[in-house]
C-alpha cells in the first residue's frame, strides 16, 4: 500500500516536473486553409510550431465562432484563434498575442458579374450575407439593402448559390477553399478586398504570461523562414 | 288582511330564514370548491414545469452551446405557448441570452433548471433556464367557476325556498286566511253559510288542526245566529211601529202646511178653530192668529151665503162645490169654492171640517175662453182646427166656412183635401210634413169653394204638440188673398213696364244719389255699350260714377250745368265727351232732372245719356257734302254755258270734216279744232261728273276685273319703272252696275296720284278688288250707302302719305298738294263724284311716310255683265217725223242734219210758242217732239205740258245743258219720256230717239190688244 502511494506520488511529481507547462486548448472557428479537421491548416501549424518552440502543449478544437469566443473568454478553453485585434472590449478576459498569425482579406463574393465593390459603402444597393459573430463585418456593413446573418460559412455560400443574397462577404482564402469544397461554380471574388486585417491568437487572461512568448516564437518563425514554409505547404500558390 | 306588513306574514318570515341558512351553506361549499380547484391547477403547472425540463433541456443546451440564437428563440417561444407559461429566458453567466414573453413579479410561479454540456471531457454549466407561470389566468378561471357555483346554488336555494313558501301558502296560510276572513265578515243576521275551506274535511278521528278549527268555528256561528235572530225580530217590530206613527204625523203636517187649498175647522157657532197657511195667504192675513180671531161671518161678502151653507149642512153631511165670495183682509173679494164635512163627536159636539179653494184663476180662464170663442166666431179670417194627422177638419169658424161656401157643420169632420183645388192637392202632404217638423209653416195654396171656384189662399198651420213632441192637433188659419194677388200682379206689371222702358231706352238711364258722391244708384244695361265698362269697373269704394270718364276739358262745364239745374229745380241738357274704354272719344248728350226730398234738398238726379257720335259724324259729312254741292253748282253753271258753246263748234266741225277731203290742209286744221273742242268737252264732262249734275251716263253691268287689268296696261307705260305694280283681285264676283269710262277714270286718277307720291323713291302700287258687305249699322254711318254687297276697289301706295289735315281736304275741288302746273285739283274731286254717283263711297287711310290706301266701295251685282261694244253697234235709224225745238238756231240746224242722216223727217222751230202752234195745227203730223228746256217765253217743260194736253201719247224728249229748275224725276212726272243732257252726240241722239219711238209703238200695240 505504501508502495502504491509512493508510486502515485512519484508519477505526480514526475508529471509536474517533466510536463510543468500546461497544455493549451485553443479553439477556432476558422476553416481551411487556416484550420482543418486534421489540424494541418496554416493557423494550426503556426500555433503548434510556436507552442512547441515555447514548450507548451496545444490542443486545437473547432467550435462555432461565437461559442469559441465565449468558451475562450470564460476560460472553458484557453484561447482562440485567429481573430482581429480589438475584440477584448467585448471579451475582457482575453489577451491578444501581439504577433500576426495570418491575414484575412474581407472580400465580396458574387454571381453577378456587373457588381463592382470598392469599399463598404458600395455594398449598400445589395442584399448582403455575413456570418454571425464576424464583428468587423457587422460594424462596417451599414445601410445595405438587407443584411442576412447566418451561423456558418456553408450556409453563407448557399445563400449565394440559391440567389438569396446578391453578395456575401468572407475571407478570400477560406472562401475560395470552401467554393472548391462545395463545388460551387460561377461565383467570383470582387477586387479589391473590402478590408485586410491581421489576425491574432487570443489567450484567456490566466495564460497572459504566455502571450509574449508565443509572439516571440511566431516572430522567430517568420524570421527563420518557418512561417513562409508553412504558408507554402498549406496555402495553394494562387491564394498566397 | 291585504294591508298587513310583510313581517306579519308567516310565509315571509319562513322565506327569510330559509334564504339566510341557504346562503351560508352556499358560501361554505363554494369556498371548498375553489380551494380544491386551486390546488389542482397549481399541481398541473408544476407538472408542466417538469415536463418542460425533461423535453426541452437537451435541445436548449445544444442550441446554447452552438449559440444558435434563432433556434433558442424558437424553443423558448414554443415553451411559452404552453398554458399559463408567460415568460421563459436563458441566461449564461447571469447574462440574458434569449427570452420569450414578459416577466411579471405578481401572482406567478417560477422554476429554473441548469443547462450543462459535456465539453472537452468535462460537464460545463453553460446556462440556466428560467420559466415563469402566471397565476392570473388560474385565479380568473377559479373565480369564474366560483361565481358560477355561487350563482347556480343561490338560484337553486332561492327557487327551493319559493317552492316551500308556495306549498306553505297553499296548505296553511291560505286556509288560515279563509278562516280569518270568514270570522271578520261573520254576521249573525245572514250567516247561513258555514265556514268551508278548500280542503277535504277529514273524519273527526283523523281531523288535523285545520279541520278541528273549522268544526269549532261553525258550531260557534250556529249558536250566535239563533240568539241574534230573536233579538233582531223584536227590535224590528218596535221600529216599524214607531216609524209608521212618525210618518203619519209628518204627512199630515206637511199636507196641511203645503197644500194650496185652505183648510179650516169651525163650529156651528161661527168660531174658527184651526186654519192652515194656505187659507191665511188666500185671505191676505198676516198670521193664523189674526184669522182665528176674526168671526166667520165677517169673512163672507154676503152673510146669507153662510146661512145657506149651514142650511145645507143641516141636511147633508158633506157639501161640495159651494161657491161664494169671501172678503180678504184688505176688503177685496176672492171667489172661492167650499167643500165642508160635518162631524159629530161622541159627546154630540158638532164641528165643520172644510176646504176652501181660490177659484179666481178658473173664473178668469173661463172669461178668457169666452172672449176667444167670440173672436173665433166673428173673425174675418178662416180659423180652424185640424186633426193631428192633418187630414180632417175638426173645427172651423164661420168665416172659414163662408170662405169655402159651406156651413160650419158641413165642414166639421170633412177631409181637408176637399177644400184644396185638385191641382194643388199633391202639395198638401209635403206642407203637412214640413209643419210637423218645424212646428209652423205658412204657404200659399189654391183652395176650392163648394161651387167649384178656386181662390188663392194664404195658409198658416201650427202643429200643437205635447211635451214628448207628439202632434195633438193643427191650428189652421186661411186667408183669401185673391185681392192681394191682383194687386201684386198689377204692381209687377207696372214694375216690369217701367223696368223694360228704362232698360230699353236707347240711352244710359240713371239715377244718381247726389248726397253720396254722385253714386249711380240705378243704371240700365246701356253702360257697357256707352263706355265699354261694366258697373263694377267704375266702382271705387261704394261709389259708381262715370264722372272720371268725362274728358277733363268738359268736366267743369258739365258740373256747372248740373249744379245750376239743381239750384233752379229744372231740367238740364248738356253735351260733352266721354273717353270710351277702347280709348275713343264718344260724344254724348245728357238730359236730366233733380229730385228733391221733403226737406227741399236735392237727393237724386234722374236722367238719360245718349251717344250721338254717329249722328255727329253724319252731320259733319252732311256739312261736307253741302260744301261739295255748292262748289259743284257753281262749276255746273259754268259748264252749262260751255256746253252750249261747244255743241255747235263740235257739231259743225264734224259736219264740215265729213264734207272735206281728208288730205286737205283745212281738214287737218279742223281736226285740231275738233280735238281741242273735244278736250274742252271732256273737261266740262269732268266738272259735271264731279258736280253730279253732269250728263246722264249709262250704267251697265260690267266686270271690274278686266277693266282693272286693261287700265293697268295703260298705266304701266306712264308710271316710272321704279314703281312696282301689283294687282290683287280676290273677289269672286266682280260685277257692278257702273259706267266703265268713269271707273276707268277713277283708276287713272287714283293711280296717277299714287305714282306721284312715289316718284322720288319708288315703291309699290297695289290695286286690289275684293268683296265687302255692309250691314245696316255700318251703312248708317255713311249717308250715301245702303246695306248690301259691295266691291272694294283699293289703290295703295308706299309713298309719302298724308297727315290728317290733308286727308280731310283731298276731295275738295281745286285742292292739291302738287306743285303749280302739276295738278288741277280735280282728280280726287272727280273720283269722289263718280263713286258717289255710283251710290258708293270712298275711304282713305294714310299716315305720313307710310303710304296711302284709297278704298272705293261700289255696289256689287250678281247679273251677268253686258259686254256689248258700243262701237260695234250700228246706230239705230228710222223714218218717223220729229219736231225739234231750240231757241238757238245753230243747234236746230245741227240736229236737223244729224237726224236727217238717220232717216228721220225733221221739222225745226226756234221759238217755243211757235212750236206749240205748229203742233196744235197738225198734232198728228209728228211722231216725236225734241225740245230744249231753257227757252224764252215758254220753257221746254211748259211746252211739253201743252203738247201732252193735246196728245197725251206724244213722246217728248227734254234736252238741256244744265238747269236746276228741272230734274229727271220732275220731267218724268210731267210725262216727258226721256231726259238727256247736252252736248248731244250722234250716238246718244240716235239711241234715245229710237228708244222713245219704239216705246210709243209698243204702248200703242199694247193698247190695241187690250
Amino acid at each position: 500500500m505504501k508502495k502504491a502511494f509512493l508510486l502515485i506520488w512519484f508519477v505526480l511529481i514526475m508529471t509536474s516536473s517533466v510536463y510543468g507547462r500546461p497544455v493549451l486548448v485553443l479553439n477556432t472557428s476558422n476553416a481551411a486553409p487556416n484550420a482543418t479537421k486534421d489540424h494541418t491548416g496554416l493557423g494550426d501549424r503556426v500555433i503548434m510550431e510556436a507552442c512547441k518552440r515555447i514548450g507548451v502543449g496545444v490542443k486545437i478544437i473547432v467550435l462555432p465562432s461565437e461559442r469559441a469566443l465565449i468558451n475562450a473568454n470564460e476560460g472553458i478553453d484557453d484561447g482562440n484563434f485567429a481573430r482581429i485585434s480589438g475584440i477584448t472590449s467585448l471579451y475582457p478576459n482575453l489577451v491578444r498575442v501581439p504577433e500576426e498569425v495570418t491575414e484575412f482579406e474581407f472580400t465580396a463574393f458574387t454571381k453577378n458579374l456587373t457588381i463592382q465593390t470598392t469599399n463598404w459603402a458600395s455594398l449598400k444597393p445589395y442584399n448582403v450575407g455575413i456570418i454571425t459573430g464576424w464583428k468587423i463585418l457587422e460594424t462596417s456593413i451599414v445601410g445595405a439593402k438587407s443584411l442576412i446573418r447566418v451561423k456558418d460559412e456553408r450556409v453563407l455560400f448557399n445563400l449565394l448559390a440559391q440567389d438569396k443574397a446578391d453578395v456575401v462577404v468572407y475571407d478570400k482564402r477560406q472562401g475560395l477553399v470552401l467554393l472548391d469544397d462545395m463545388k460551387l461554380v460561377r461565383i467570383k471574388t470582387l477586387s479589391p478586398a473590402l478590408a485586410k486585417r491581421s489576425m491574432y491568437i487570443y489567450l484567456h487572461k490566466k495564460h497572459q504570461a504566455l502571450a509574449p512568448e508565443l509572439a516571440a516564437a511566431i516572430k522567430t518563425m517568420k524570421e527563420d523562414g518557418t512561417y513562409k514554409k508553412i504558408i507554402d505547404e498549406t496555402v495553394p500558390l494562387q491564394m498566397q | 288582511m291585504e294591508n298587513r306588513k310583510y313581517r306579519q306574514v308567516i310565509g315571509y318570515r319562513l322565506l327569510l330564514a330559509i334564504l339566510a341558512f341557504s346562503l351560508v351553506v352556499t358560501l361554505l361549499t363554494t369556498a371548498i370548491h375553489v380551494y380544491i380547484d386551486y390546488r389542482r391547477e397549481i399541481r398541473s403547472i408544476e407538472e408542466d414545469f417538469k415536463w418542460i425540463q425533461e423535453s426541452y433541456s437537451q435541445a436548449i443546451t445544444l442550441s446554447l452551446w452552438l449559440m444558435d440564437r434563432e433556434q433558442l428563440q424558437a424553443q423558448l417561444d414554443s415553451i411559452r405557448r404552453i398554458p399559463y407559461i408567460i415568460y421563459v429566458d436563458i441566461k449564461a453567466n447571469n447574462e440574458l441570452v434569449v427570452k420569450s414573453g414578459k416577466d411579471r413579479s405578481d401572482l406567478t410561479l417560477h422554476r429554473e433548471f441548469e443547462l450543462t454540456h459535456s465539453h472537452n471531457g468535462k460537464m460545463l454549466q453553460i446556462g440556466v433556464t428560467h420559466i415563469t407561470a402566471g397565476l392570473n389566468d388560474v385565479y380568473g378561471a377559479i373565480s369564474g367557476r366560483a361565481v358560477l357555483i355561487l350563482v347556480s346554488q343561490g338560484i337553486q336555494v332561492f327557487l327551493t325556498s319559493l317552492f316551500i313558501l308556495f306549498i306553505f301558502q297553499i296548505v296553511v296560510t291560505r286556509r288560515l286566511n279563509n278562516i280569518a276572513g270568514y270570522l271578520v265578515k261573520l254576521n249573525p243576521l245572514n250567516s247561513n253559510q258555514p265556514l268551508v275551506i278548500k280542503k277535504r274535511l277529514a273524519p273527526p278521528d283523523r281531523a288535523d288542526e285545520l279541520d278541528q278549527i273549522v268544526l269549532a268555528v261553525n258550531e260557534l256561528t250556529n249558536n250566535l245566529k239563533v240568539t241574534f235572530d230573536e233579538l233582531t225580530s223584536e227590535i224590528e217590530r218596535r221600529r216599524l211601529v214607531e216609524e209608521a206613527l212618525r210618518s203619519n204625523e209628518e204627512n199630515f203636517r206637511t199636507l196641511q202646511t203645503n197644500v194650496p187649498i185652505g183648510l179650516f175647522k169651525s163650529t156651528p157657532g161661527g168660531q174658527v178653530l184651526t186654519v192652515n197657511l194656505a187659507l191665511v195667504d188666500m185671505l191676505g192675513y198676516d198670521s193664523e192668529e189674526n184669522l182665528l180671531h176674526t168671526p166667520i161671518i165677517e169673512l163672507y161678502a154676503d152673510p146669507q151665503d153662510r146661512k145657506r151653507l149651514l142650511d145645507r149642512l143641516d141636511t147633508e153631511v158633506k157639501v161640495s162645490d159651494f161657491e161664494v165670495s169671501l172678503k180678504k183682509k184688505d176688503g177685496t173679494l176672492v171667489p172661492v169654492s167650499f167643500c165642508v164635512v160635518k162631524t159629530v163627536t161622541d159627546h154630540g159636539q158638532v164641528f165643520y171640517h172644510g176646504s176652501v179653494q181660490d177659484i179666481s184663476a178658473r173664473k178668469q180662464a173661463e172669461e178668457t175662453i169666452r172672449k176667444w170663442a167670440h173672436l173665433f166666431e166673428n173673425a174675418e179670417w178662416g180659423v180652424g182646427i185640424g186633426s193631428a194627422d192633418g187630414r180632417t177638419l175638426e173645427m172651423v169658424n164661420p168665416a172659414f166656412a163662408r170662405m169655402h161656401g159651406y156651413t160650419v157643420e158641413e165642414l166639421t169632420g170633412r177631409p181637408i183635401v176637399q177644400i184644396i183645388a185638385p191641382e194643388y192637392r199633391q202639395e198638401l202632404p209635403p206642407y203637412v210634413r214640413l209643419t210637423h217638423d218645424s212646428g209652423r209653416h205658412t204657404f200659399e195654396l189654391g183652395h176650392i169653394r163648394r161651387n167649384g171656384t178656386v181662390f188663392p189662399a194664404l195658409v198658416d198651420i201650427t202643429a200643437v204638440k205635447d211635451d214628448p213632441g207628439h202632434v195633438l192637433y193643427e191650428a189652421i188659419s186661411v186667408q183669401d188673398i185673391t185681392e192681394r194677388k191682383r194687386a201684386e200682379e198689377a204692381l209687377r206689371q207696372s214694375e216690369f213696364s217701367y223696368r223694360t222702358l228704362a232698360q230699353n231706352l236707347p240711352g244710359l238711364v240713371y239715377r244718381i244719389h247726389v248726397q253720396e258722391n254722385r253714386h249711380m244708384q240705378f243704371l240700365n244695361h246701356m253702360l257697357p255699350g256707352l263706355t265699354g265698362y261694366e258697373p263694377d269697373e267704375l266702382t271705387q269704394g261704394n261709389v259708381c260714377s262715370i264722372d272720371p270718364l268725362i274728358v277733363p276739358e268738359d268736366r267743369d262745364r258739365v258740373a256747372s250745368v248740373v249744379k245750376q239745374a239743381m239750384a233752379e229745380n229744372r231740367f238740364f241738357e248738356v253735351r260733352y265727351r266721354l273717353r270710351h274704354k277702347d280709348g275713343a272719344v264718344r260724344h254724348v248728350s245728357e238730359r236730366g232732372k233733380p229730385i228733391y226730398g221733403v226737406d227741399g234738398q236735392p237727393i237724386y238726379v234722374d236722367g238719360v245719356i245718349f251717344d250721338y257720335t254717329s249722328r255727329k259724324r253724319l252731320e259733319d259729312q252732311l256739312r261736307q257734302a253741302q260744301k261739295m254741292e255748292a262748289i259743284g253748282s257753281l262749276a255746273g253753271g259754268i259748264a252749262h254755258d260751255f256746253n252750249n258753246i261747244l255743241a255747235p263748234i263740235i257739231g259743225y266741225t264734224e259736219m264740215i270734216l265729213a264734207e272735206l277731203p281728208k288730205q286737205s290742209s283745212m281738214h287737218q286744221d279742223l281736226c285740231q279744232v275738233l280735238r281741242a273742242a273735244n278736250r274742252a268737252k271732256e273737261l266740262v264732262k269732268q266738272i259735271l261728273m264731279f258736280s253730279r249734275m253732269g250728263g246722264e251716263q249709262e250704267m251697265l253691268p260690267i266686270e271690274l276685273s278686266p277693266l282693272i287689268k286693261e287700265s293697268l296696261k295703260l298705266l304701266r307705260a306712264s308710271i316710272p319703272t321704279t314703281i312696282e305694280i301689283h294687282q290683287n283681285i280676290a273677289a269672286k264676283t266682280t260685277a257692278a252696275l257702273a259706267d266703265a269710262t268713269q271707273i276707268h277714270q277713277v283708276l287713272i286718277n287714283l293711280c296717277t296720284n299714287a305714282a306721284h307720291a312715289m316718284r322720288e323713291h319708288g315703291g309699290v302700287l297695289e290695286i286690289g278688288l275684293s268683296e265687302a258687305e255692309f250691314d245696316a249699322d255700318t251703312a248708317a254711318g255713311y249717308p250715301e250707302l245702303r246695306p248690301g254687297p259691295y266691291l272694294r276697289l283699293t289703290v295703295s301706295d308706299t309713298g309719302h302719305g298724308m297727315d290728317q289735315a290733308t286727308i280731310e281736304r283731298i276731295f275738295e275741288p281745286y285742292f292739291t298738294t302738287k306743285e303749280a302746273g302739276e295738278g288741277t285739283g280735280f282728280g280726287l274731286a272727280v273720283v269722289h263724284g263718280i263713286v258717289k254717283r255710283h251710290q258708293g263711297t270712298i275711304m282713305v287711310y294714310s299716315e305720313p311716310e307710310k303710304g296711302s290706301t284709297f278704298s272705293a266701295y261700289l255696289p256689287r251685282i250678281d247679273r251677268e255683265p253686258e259686254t256689248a261694244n258700243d262701237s260695234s253697234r250700228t246706230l239705230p235709224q228710222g223714218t218717223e217725223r220729229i219736231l225739234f225745238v231750240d231757241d238757238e238756231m245753230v243747234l236746230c240746224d245741227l240736229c236737223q242734219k244729224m237726224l236727217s242722216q238717220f232717216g228721220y223727217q225733221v221739222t225745226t222751230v226756234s221759238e217755243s210758242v211757235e212750236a206749240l202752234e205748229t203742233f196744235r195745227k197738225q198734232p198728228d203730223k209728228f211722231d216725236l217732239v225734241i225740245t230744249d228746256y231753257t227757252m224764252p217765253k215758254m220753257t221746254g217743260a211748259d211746252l211739253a205740258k201743252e203738247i201732252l194736253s193735246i196728245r197725251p201719247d206724244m213722246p217728248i224728249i227734254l234736252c238741256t245743258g244744265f238747269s236746276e229748275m228741272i230734274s229727271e224725276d220732275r220731267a218724268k212726272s210731267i210725262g216727258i219720256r226721256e231726259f238727256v243732257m247736252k252736248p248731244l252726240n250722234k250716238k246718244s241722239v240716235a239711241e234715245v230717239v229710237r228708244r222713245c219711238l219704239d216705246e210709243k209703238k209698243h204702248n200703242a200695240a199694247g193698247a190695241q190688244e187690250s
Side-chain angles (χ1 to χ4, degrees), chain B residues 551-612:
Chain B
V551 172
E553 295 84 352
D554 294 351
R555 285 179 190 166
D556 291 342
R557 180 170 55 81
V558 174
S560 172
V561 170
V562 176
K563 186 177 179 184
Q564 186 71 22
M566 285 196 294
E568 298 173 2
N569 188 13
R570 61 170 174 77
F571 279 100
F572 67 86
E573 181 169 10
V574 59
R575 290 187 170 195
Y576 53 90
R577 292 166 292 172
L578 279 179
R579 179 69 65 182
H580 193 271
K581 190 176 183 180
D582 60 12
V585 172
R586 296 291 175 92
H587 295 267
V588 300
S589 172
E590 179 176 350
R591 184 173 172 78
K593 187 178 187 310
I595 307 296
Y596 294 83
V598 291
D599 57 354
Q601 294 298 315
I603 303 173
Y604 305 114
V605 172
D606 291 350
V608 59
I609 302 172
F610 292 104
D611 183 352
Y612 73 101

Side-chain angles (χ1 to χ4, degrees), chain B residues 8 55 91 104 118 130 173 314 368 381 385 409 555 568 581 592 630 655 710 803 850 867 929 998:
Chain B
Q8 295 174 288
S55 302
K91 291 179 179 175
R104 296 197 304 244
S118 173
H130 294 85
T173 308
D314 286 342
T368 302
W381 285 18
I385 299 295
E409 291 72 21
R555 285 179 190 166
E568 298 173 2
K581 190 176 183 180
M655 283 190 291
E710 184 182 350
D803 58 19
K850 290 187 177 179
T867 56
V929 176
D998 290 347

Side-chain angles (χ1 to χ4, degrees), chain B residues 736-914:
Chain B
L737 193 63
D739 183 321
T741 305
Q742 293 186 5
I743 299 302
H744 179 75
Q745 189 67 47
V746 167
L747 276 170
I748 296 298
N749 288 5
L750 290 177
C751 291
T752 304
N753 279 354
H756 187 270
M758 298 185 288
R759 63 179 178 177
E760 290 185 5
H761 305 293
V764 177
L765 170 63
E766 181 169 319
I767 295 93
L769 186 65
S770 59
E771 295 173 356
E773 195 83 21
F774 281 112
D775 56 20
D777 291 341
T778 312
Y782 303 92
E784 63 276 12
L785 286 187
R786 294 172 186 168
Y790 281 81
L791 284 172
R792 179 169 51 229
L793 174 61
T794 57
V795 177
S796 303
D797 66 69
T798 57
H800 50 61
M802 296 176 284
D803 58 19
Q804 191 61 33
T806 305
I807 291 172
E808 289 177 358
R809 297 192 61 197
I810 51 174
F811 293 118
E812 293 181 7
Y814 306 112
F815 176 80
T816 182
T817 59
K818 298 174 183 173
E819 298 295 327
E822 288 187 339
T824 61
F826 260 95
L828 287 177
V830 166
V831 168
H832 184 263
I834 290 172
V835 173
K836 289 209 168 186
R837 191 157 174 270
H838 281 75
Q839 296 181 331
T841 190
I842 186 164
M843 301 178 189
V844 185
Y845 178 78
S846 182
E847 289 184 37
E849 307 306 327
K850 290 187 177 179
S852 305
T853 297
F854 286 79
S855 300
Y857 290 87
L858 301 170
R860 191 176 78 220
I861 60 170
D862 296 327
R863 285 184 295 172
E864 286 297 320
E866 293 180 4
T867 56
N869 188 344
D870 289 346
S871 61
S872 66
R873 288 191 295 179
T874 56
L875 294 176
Q877 297 183 354
T879 58
E880 284 86 352
R881 298 158 299 173
I882 299 173
L883 173 61
F884 186 90
V885 186
D886 197 309
D887 59 335
E888 293 192 29
M889 286 302 295
V890 178
L891 287 178
C892 287
D893 292 343
L894 175 64
C895 280
Q896 186 179 29
K897 289 182 178 179
M898 192 182 295
L899 290 169
S900 297
Q901 288 178 351
F902 298 143
Y904 295 106
Q905 302 171 42
V906 180
T907 302
T908 61
V909 181
S910 60
E911 289 185 2
S912 53
V913 176
E914 182 186 351

Side-chain angles (χ1 to χ4, degrees), chain A residues 185-205:
Chain A
V185 296
R186 293 195 299 276
I187 294 176
K188 68 164 187 173
T189 59
L190 297 177
S191 294
L194 295 169
K196 291 182 179 179
R197 291 289 187 272
S198 296
M199 305 301 287
Y200 302 95
I201 301 169
Y202 283 84
L203 297 176
H204 189 265
K205 60 184 180 184

Side-chain angles (χ1 to χ4, degrees), chain A residues 25 59 61 63-64 66-67 70-71 74 76-77, chain B residues 64-69 93 119-120 122 124 126:
Chain A
V25 178
K59 181 180 180 182
I61 59 175
L63 289 175
E66 189 171 1
R67 169 52 59 188
I70 292 170
N71 281 9
E74 292 180 358
I76 296 172
D77 298 327
Chain B
L64 180 62
W65 178 253
L66 297 176
M67 290 307 291
D68 188 347
R69 295 176 188 275
N93 291 331
H119 175 65
N120 208 19
K122 292 186 291 185
L124 299 175
I126 60 174

Side-chain angles (χ1 to χ4, degrees), chain B residues 14 27 92 137 213 229 246 261 276 298 318 328-329 412 617 619 708 798 819 1002 1006-1007:
Chain B
L14 180 63
L27 288 174
D137 292 341
I213 290 172
D229 285 346
R246 195 164 49 247
I261 298 173
N276 68 347
E298 292 181 9
K318 179 180 179 183
K328 296 176 71 173
K329 174 79 172 175
T412 302
R617 186 167 67 233
E619 287 173 358
I708 292 171
T798 57
E819 298 295 327
H1002 178 74

Side-chain angles (χ1 to χ4, degrees), chain A residues 44-104:
Chain A
D44 295 334
R45 290 187 57 184
V46 170
I47 288 171
M48 286 192 289
E49 180 59 28
C51 287
K52 183 178 176 184
R53 290 191 181 188
I54 66 172
V56 174
V58 66
K59 181 180 180 182
I60 296 172
I61 59 175
V62 177
L63 289 175
S65 177
E66 189 171 1
R67 169 52 59 188
L69 282 169
I70 292 170
N71 281 9
N73 185 57
E74 292 180 358
I76 296 172
D77 298 327
D78 298 319
N80 170 257
F81 75 93
R83 299 283 177 177
I84 60 173
S85 62
I87 64 170
T88 53
S89 60
L90 293 174
Y91 301 94
N93 295 332
L94 295 180
V95 175
R96 181 168 67 94
V97 175
E99 185 60 43
E100 175 189 296
V101 177
T102 182
E103 181 187 63
F104 272 18

